[in-house]
């Protein structure tokens, strides 16, 4: 079975799904302050009260059971007695927050028809209200959440599949446990998963993670709609914070929500063998039902990226943000080029190494405020230090101070540790990280396309990055100033965030 066509052109400008900023008129702000000062304390107090009541009741469901008994689905009186109580209290929590009605469209499939429900778009923690019409289906959660008050008790009650993001072995066990449950032929309860894996603004469906599709069993797509005049529920990577979303939602007289159950999706034999194909096709089906694009965007390591041939391309380029910061600090084109020359000379010398602290970077860039250097380090690494190669090879092409062939030659020379004129897969991964500004973990497809008999030369890499139908996107969008940033008639370049970088020296 081939991939489903999403009905959108590949060249269409998709909206950024990881940014949502609530826009309020003055009248809406005033009304929100007045209603919020009254409704917020009352509603939040009631919600907390119901949650506190749920806490001990949820613990009682498994109380007294051995580890072996806890590893099996709860049945008998422990299910028929405790399940409806927690369901009613869950509904009471959302009722107290202003979700008076949960409109349901379609029919929820039973366990034998669809062992798993896949829900999208994922907008915020308030999406948990979908568990009410889903009859408290089982979930997958981080094991760290079990230590949280109330939440930990509810995860225990739910007999959730737990996984630690820090432990690879935990992930393997969770996948095995998930497959066992989904293929248990009705032994375990129905599961519910948010395949996007993170919250978005709902303007597009981001790439689905394959977890819900690994077992190759039928799934039921479930759509979440918030048909309100003011969109208060969503909180994302940037923009409205969860505290703002909660305040504005609770400050409304009421909030509408619709849970729509689509027909069960039965996978083909090809989809059963390829979870990624299965996930992509369900994503496109749900996107069409919502009337939004299905994109290849994902959140990876806390950074929003698009996936191209296994590569991770940042939606917000560290290089463009670096140029914007330098411009704001008074550096013109000449100063930037001089600083870049110092960086590449330092890298080529090899005497001091390419890694520098924020203090050294500030000195190298001629910055009067070290905080800017700390910010730049944070764009490329998780501490107050940075590899100069990453800054140079991602920023230099955007300034127009070096052509692509020369850039790749320098990069190839610096990352070809063993010499011999051929890059290993690991060396190619490091080189591509430097070019686009973020780590690259899945480089195999590019390595296969650029290598001949396990040899990847400078010429073959240049050819693939400029002519390959998939990988030329890297060159067009990240390594060419006139295409990556866009050029205005007055000689200024504009990055994706609308910030301006002046190609002439800033006036004193």
């Amino acid at each position: 079975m081939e991939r489903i066509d999403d009905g959108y052109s590949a060249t269409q400008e998709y909206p950024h799904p990881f940014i949502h900023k609530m826009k309020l008129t003055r009248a809406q702000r005033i009304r929100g302050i007045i209603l919020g000062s009254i409704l917020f304390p009352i509603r939040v107090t009631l919600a907390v009260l119901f949650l506190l009541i749920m806490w001990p009741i949820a613990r009682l469901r498994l109380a007294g059971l051995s580890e072996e008994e806890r590893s099996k689905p709860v049945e008998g009186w422990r299910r028929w007695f405790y399940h409806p109580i927690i369901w009613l209290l869950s509904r009471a929590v959302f009722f107290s927050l202003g979700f008076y009605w949960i409109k349901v469209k379609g029919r929820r499939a039973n366990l034998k028809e669809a062992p798993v429900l896949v829900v999208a778009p994922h907008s915020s923690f308030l999406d948990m209200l979908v568990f009410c019409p889903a009859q408290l289906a089982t979930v997958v959660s981080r094991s760290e959440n079990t230590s949280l008050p109330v939440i930990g008790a509810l995860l225990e009650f739910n007999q959730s599949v737990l996984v630690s993001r820090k432990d690879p072995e935990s992930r393997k066990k969770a996948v095995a446990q998930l497959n066992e449950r989904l293929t248990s032929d009705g032994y375990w309860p129905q599961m519910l998963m948010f395949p996007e894996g993170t919250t978005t603004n709902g303007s597009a469906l981001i790439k689905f993670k394959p977890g819900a599709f690994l077992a190759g069993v039928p799934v039921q797509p479930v759509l979440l709609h918030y048909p309100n005049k003011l969109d208060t529920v969503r909180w994302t990577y940037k923009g409205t914070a969860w505290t703002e979303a909660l305040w504005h939602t609770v400050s409304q007289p009421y909030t509408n929500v619709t849970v729509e159950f689509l027909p069960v999706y039965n996978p083909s034999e090809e989809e059963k063998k390829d979870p990624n194909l299965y996930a992509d096709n369900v994503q496109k089906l749900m996107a069409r039902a919502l009337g939004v694009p299905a994109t290849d965007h994902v959140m990876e390591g806390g950074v929003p990226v698009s996936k191209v041939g296994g590569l991770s391309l940042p939606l917000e380029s560290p290089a463009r943000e670096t140029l914007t910061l330098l411009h704001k600090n008074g550096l013109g084109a000449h100063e930037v080029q001089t600083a870049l020359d110092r960086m590449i000379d330092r890298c080529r010398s090899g005497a001091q190494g390419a890694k520098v602290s924020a203090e050294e970077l500030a000195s190298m860039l001629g910055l009067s405020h070290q905080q800017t250097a700390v910010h730049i380090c944070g764009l490329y690494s998780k501490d107050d230090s940075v590899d100069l190669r990453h800054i140079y090879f991602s920023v230099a092409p955007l300034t127009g101070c070096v052509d692509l062939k020369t850039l790749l030659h320098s990069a190839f020379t610096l990352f070809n540790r063993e010499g011999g004129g051929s890059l290993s897969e690991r060396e190619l991964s490091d080189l591509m990280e430097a070019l686009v500004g973020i780590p690259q973990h899945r480089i195999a497809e590019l390595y296969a396309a650029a290598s001949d008999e396990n040899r990847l030369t400078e010429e073959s890499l240049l050819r693939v990055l400029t002519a390959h139908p998939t990988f030329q996107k890297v060159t067009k969008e990240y390594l060419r100033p006139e295409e990556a940033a866009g050029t205005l008639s007055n000689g200024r370049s504009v990055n994706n965030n609308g910030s301006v970088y002046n190609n002439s020296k800033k006036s004193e």
Side-chain angles (χ1 to χ4, degrees):
M1 181 177 179
E2 296 182 354
R3 294 181 184 273
I4 294 176
D5 182 8
D6 62 7
Y8 289 84
S9 167
T11 60
Q12 180 174 338
E13 286 295 329
Y14 294 149
H16 192 324
F18 299 104
I19 296 179
H20 174 70
K21 185 64 179 176
M22 201 179 306
K23 297 179 180 179
L24 301 173
T25 64
R26 179 177 296 180
Q28 287 171 330
R29 289 187 181 278
I30 294 173
R31 187 182 72 166
I33 292 172
I34 295 173
L35 290 179
S37 61
I38 300 170
L39 294 176
F40 188 87
I42 296 174
R43 285 177 165 175
V44 171
T45 300
L46 284 173
V48 170
L49 177 62
F50 287 127
L51 287 169
L52 291 176
I53 295 172
M54 292 168 70
W55 194 350
I57 297 175
R59 291 292 189 197
L60 286 173
R61 190 187 195 198
L62 300 183
L65 296 181
S66 65
E67 284 300 316
E68 183 181 355
E69 290 172 320
R70 286 169 177 250
S71 66
K72 301 175 182 178
V74 171
E75 296 177 339
W77 70 272
R78 288 179 183 269
R79 179 170 178 81
W80 64 254
F81 180 76
Y82 288 111
H83 191 275
I85 295 175
I86 296 298
W87 185 92
L88 285 170
L89 288 170
S90 300
R91 184 67 188 92
V93 169
F94 288 103
F95 186 89
S96 65
L97 293 176
F99 294 90
Y100 300 142
W101 309 276
I102 298 179
K103 184 178 179 180
V104 177
K105 294 176 65 177
R107 179 186 68 86
R108 181 175 69 91
N110 62 43
L111 178 58
K112 290 293 186 72
E113 292 175 302
V116 61
L117 308 173
V118 289
V119 184
H122 191 13
S123 303
S124 75
F125 62 94
L126 294 171
D127 291 344
M128 296 301 109
L129 57 80
V130 75
F131 284 100
C132 296
Q135 294 300 313
L136 305 183
T138 307
V139 299
V140 177
S141 179
R142 291 189 303 167
S143 57
E144 292 83 0
N145 291 338
T146 57
S147 61
L148 297 175
V150 185
I151 301 299
L154 292 175
L155 290 174
E156 179 184 293
F157 169 90
N158 189 259
Q159 292 188 286
S160 306
V161 175
L162 301 175
V163 58
S164 173
R165 294 182 178 180
K166 300 177 182 178
D167 182 5
E169 287 302 314
S170 173
R171 295 182 184 181
K172 292 179 182 178
K173 291 178 182 178
V175 169
Q177 190 177 3
L178 185 62
N179 282 333
E180 178 189 350
R181 292 193 181 191
L182 295 181
T183 57
S184 65
D185 195 27
Y187 180 64
W188 280 96
Q190 199 169 45
M191 297 199 70
L192 183 149
M193 302 179 74
F194 292 91
E196 290 179 291
T198 190
T199 56
T200 70
N201 59 23
S203 60
L205 284 190
I206 65 174
K207 191 174 181 65
F208 282 5
K209 296 182 180 299
F213 310 93
L214 290 172
V217 297
V219 302
Q220 182 172 32
V222 183
L223 306 180
L224 272 182
H225 307 273
Y226 293 97
N228 301 285
K229 185 176 181 181
L230 184 61
D231 188 358
T232 63
V233 172
R234 306 183 197 281
W235 64 280
T236 53
Y237 164 75
K238 284 188 177 180
T240 304
W242 72 268
T243 49
E244 292 179 86
L246 179 62
W247 167 269
H248 290 296
T249 299
V250 175
S251 299
Q252 303 303 309
Y254 58 87
T255 302
N256 293 312
V257 60
T258 299
V259 178
E260 182 179 1
F261 292 98
L262 297 181
V264 172
Y265 188 102
N266 291 286
S268 66
E269 289 303 317
E270 189 177 353
E271 288 172 323
K272 290 178 183 179
K273 296 175 183 177
D274 187 349
N276 289 305
L277 173 65
Y278 189 3
D280 288 346
N281 285 343
V282 174
Q283 177 210 21
K284 291 180 174 67
L285 181 147
M286 295 178 73
R288 283 207 308 269
L290 288 165
V292 300
T295 73
D296 58 5
H297 299 150
V298 297
M299 186 67 76
E300 190 172 87
V303 178
V305 305
S306 63
K307 304 297 289 186
V308 176
L311 297 180
S312 301
L313 305 182
L315 299 184
E316 299 174 339
S317 167
R320 292 170 191 153
E321 189 166 348
T322 297
L323 281 177
T324 299
L325 288 170
L326 295 179
H327 171 66
K328 287 180 178 178
N329 278 264
L331 275 71
H334 177 71
E335 289 88 352
V336 170
Q337 184 169 347
T338 300
L340 290 173
D341 288 342
R342 285 196 290 266
M343 289 182 192
I344 193 63
D345 288 342
R346 164 82 175 260
C347 294
R348 285 169 177 160
S349 70
Q352 298 171 286
K355 197 89 168 179
V356 298
S357 65
E359 184 178 359
E360 290 177 288
L361 180 63
S363 174
M364 187 170 288
L365 292 172
L367 296 171
S368 55
H369 302 292
Q370 187 174 323
Q371 191 57 39
T372 301
V374 172
H375 190 166
I376 293 174
C377 288
L379 296 175
Y380 293 90
S381 66
K382 295 182 179 180
D383 53 37
D384 290 350
S385 63
V386 66
D387 190 323
L388 290 176
R389 295 175 300 178
H390 294 176
I391 298 180
Y392 177 82
F393 288 111
S394 62
V395 172
L398 299 185
T399 65
C401 67
V402 60
D403 63 85
L404 180 60
K405 188 174 182 179
T406 303
L407 182 84
L408 280 182
H409 174 72
S410 298
F412 201 94
T413 302
L414 287 176
F415 286 96
N416 186 202
R417 301 182 188 91
E418 301 297 326
S422 176
L423 291 182
S424 67
E425 192 167 335
R426 176 60 187 274
E427 290 169 338
L428 176 62
S429 176
D430 293 340
L431 185 151
M432 293 307 299
E433 176 181 354
L435 289 179
V436 301
I438 63 171
Q440 302 298 317
H441 303 293
R442 295 174 178 83
I443 208 78
E445 189 175 337
L446 174 60
Y447 186 79
S451 60
D452 181 22
E453 297 182 356
N454 294 323
R455 280 186 57 82
L456 193 156
T457 64
E458 182 180 330
E459 293 73 19
S460 64
L461 180 58
L462 177 62
R463 184 184 66 252
V464 167
L465 292 180
T466 54
H468 193 282
T470 298
F471 299 110
Q472 63 180 340
K473 181 176 181 179
V474 178
T475 302
K476 289 183 176 180
E477 297 187 11
Y478 292 84
L479 304 178
R480 286 182 179 168
E482 68 278 10
E483 295 182 25
T487 302
L488 301 181
S489 59
N490 60 3
R492 296 185 299 171
S493 295
V494 182
N495 66 19
N496 279 357
N497 302 319
S499 303
V500 178
Y501 171 70
N502 196 332
N503 288 327
S504 60
K505 185 175 178 179
K506 182 179 172 70
S507 301
E508 299 295 335

